[in-house]
Amino acid sequence: MKVMVDTRKCTGHARCWAVAPQVFTLDTDGYNVTLAKVVPKELEALAQRGARACPERAIMLVED
Ligand code: F3S
């Protein structure tokens, strides 16, 4: 699985990071700068929860 973040939609809620800090990276202002990242199997459930936590729907999950 891969996570992809539409940084144009991110408004810095940081909920993704609060749920899944192992998956998402924020800049010093709290904006998600992950862009695209392959998620290891053991973190997939966490990544899904983090994506669902984003109120801006800025995070997409792409299956392999
Ligand atoms: Fe941005 Fe959504 Fe996370 S607005 S910081 S991607 S919770």
Side-chain angles (χ1 to χ4, degrees):
M1 173 191 286
K2 188 188 289 183
V3 291
M4 300 180 74
V5 178
D6 185 343
T7 55
R8 294 167 303 178
K9 289 184 178 177
C10 175
T11 57
H13 289 286
R15 293 183 191 176
C16 55
W17 181 83
V19 171
Q22 304 95 320
V23 176
F24 300 106
T25 303
L26 305 187
D27 67 14
T28 54
D29 293 320
Y31 289 84
N32 196 326
V33 291
T34 310
L35 296 180
K37 176 177 177 178
V38 174
V39 179
K41 272 269 183 251
E42 64 271 21
L43 294 179
E44 286 186 355
L46 204 60
Q48 287 171 333
R49 284 173 45 207
R52 282 199 302 268
C54 177
E56 307 297 336
R57 300 282 181 257
I59 302 169
M60 289 145 288
L61 301 171
V62 181
E63 297 292 340
D64 294 329

